[in-house]
Amino acid sequence: MTEKLDIDHLRQWIGRSQEATDIVTAQLVKGLRATLFQEVGEPKAGDAAPFTVHWCLAQPVFPMSMLGPDGHPTRGGFLPPVPLPRRMWAGGEIEFLQPLRVGDESTRTSRIADVQVKSGSTGTLCFVSVEHSISSPRGTAIRERQDIVYREMTGGAPAGGKASPPPPQAQHRETHVSDPVLLFRYSALTFNGHRIHYDRDYVTEVEGYPGLIFHGPLQAALIVEMAAKLRGGKAPKKFSYRGVQPLFEGTEFSVNANETEAGMELWTANAEGQPTMKGTAVW
């Protein structure tokens, strides 16, 4: 049984902050380029890294003894100790001010911005919003808000909710396969121990999903790179996104974009064409 959720206690974490520093290495850039289906090349000092390289930098490192059954660190510390067992990246918003480059020392300053409890089709949901500012020697490079959702463990995979209308025909589309090796590579690059991305026995038998789950940030990274490619290599000033439903291993998926008056409408979709993540970008 899930421990009772004390929202007043959890909201005491609002305002907590932490700082971490890391180096953008050529090897990291090569690995991320390969994982994002880009030309790997031989990056050298000063070359621009992929736009979401900051998700690979200065990730928390805990001893094995401090990890929970899902592979995440045990609850508490910087993030509030939400007692709901399922944790996923729900979405967020990113402002790209300038690129991070090979050789940069990057510092991320993070702050708990909000904690809210809501009710959904799968039961109680707790949303934790975290604000990040990522800087390089040239100043602030990225400002970001991440929304993390915690929810109850149900007897099976979460319901997909009401069937959504089919997405519009994409003006721009790329297709890939959500290969387990791709998921493993991204977990390694981001030092992400969450077992839903690589442990098939855990994700199917404990969490009740039909297979390994594609990372939300990896979908967002592919969307951002497509958007930038369509605008001559320029990242959007602001990119907002949210997860719609899980994307699973072993299936074809697509990254899609449509031009709009304000910028672009972007989404990833599974093999059936159902959106798994939606986003908007403005320049």
Side-chain angles (χ1 to χ4, degrees):
M1 178 177 289
T2 301
E3 178 186 344
K4 183 178 179 181
L5 195 153
D6 184 346
I7 185 59
D8 291 332
H9 176 63
L10 298 178
R11 287 183 64 83
Q12 292 177 19
W13 263 255
I14 294 175
R16 293 196 182 196
S17 63
Q18 67 176 14
E19 188 173 282
T21 300
D22 204 348
I23 304 292
V24 182
T25 67
Q27 185 67 18
L28 171 61
V29 169
K30 288 175 71 173
L32 187 55
R33 284 178 178 174
T35 305
L36 297 179
F37 305 101
Q38 298 177 349
E39 187 71 33
V40 176
E42 291 294 336
K44 59 185 183 300
D47 286 353
F51 295 110
T52 57
V53 70
H54 63 289
W55 287 338
C56 304
L57 297 171
Q59 293 302 311
V61 177
F62 291 87
M64 295 296 293
S65 60
M66 292 182 65
L67 300 183
D70 63 355
H72 276 307
T74 50
R75 306 299 170 90
F78 173 63
L79 289 171
V82 179
L84 302 175
R86 272 191 172 133
R87 168 181 165 179
M88 300 191 81
W89 197 317
E93 184 173 272
I94 312 174
E95 293 180 70
F96 294 100
L97 306 178
Q98 56 177 301
L100 293 171
R101 299 183 178 279
V102 175
D104 281 350
E105 181 177 84
S106 172
T107 298
R108 183 183 66 244
T109 303
S110 305
R111 174 183 174 274
I112 305 296
D114 198 12
V115 180
Q116 293 188 16
V117 174
K118 300 180 181 180
S119 294
S121 60
T122 58
T124 301
L125 304 173
C126 183
F127 290 87
V128 178
S129 293
V130 186
E131 294 175 345
H132 302 285
S133 176
I134 296 92
S135 66
S136 75
R138 296 171 299 282
T140 303
I142 295 167
R143 284 193 289 263
E144 176 181 15
R145 188 198 75 247
Q146 289 177 1
D147 298 325
I148 303 167
V149 62
Y150 299 81
R151 62 190 188 188
E152 298 173 270
M153 189 74 76
T154 55
K162 296 180 180 178
S164 57
Q169 186 69 32
Q171 296 169 347
H172 309 279
R173 186 171 184 263
E174 296 178 354
T175 60
H176 305 285
V177 175
S178 55
D179 185 277
V181 177
L182 174 68
L183 306 188
F184 173 81
R185 280 185 161 194
Y186 196 73
S187 287
L189 285 167
T190 55
F191 202 68
N192 183 354
H194 199 182
R195 292 169 67 175
I196 65 173
H197 303 304
Y198 61 86
D199 187 337
R200 189 174 290 108
D201 288 344
Y202 171 84
V203 77
T204 56
E205 297 175 12
V206 177
E207 298 220 7
Y209 291 99
L212 300 177
I213 298 176
F214 200 101
H215 308 69
L218 178 51
Q219 293 182 65
L222 291 166
I223 288 174
V224 168
E225 293 293 339
M226 169 180 257
K229 183 167 63 175
L230 293 172
R231 289 296 176 93
K234 185 178 180 181
K237 290 182 179 178
K238 185 177 291 186
F239 171 61
S240 302
Y241 64 100
R242 63 181 179 88
V244 178
Q245 63 175 312
L247 174 63
F248 297 102
E249 65 169 312
T251 62
E252 183 179 90
F253 70 97
S254 59
V255 187
N256 307 273
N258 279 343
E259 302 281 350
T260 66
E261 289 186 7
M264 281 186 196
E265 175 189 36
L266 302 128
W267 69 97
T268 48
N270 59 23
E272 290 73 42
Q274 299 169 328
T276 57
M277 176 173 285
K278 294 182 178 180
T280 57
V282 294
W283 281 260

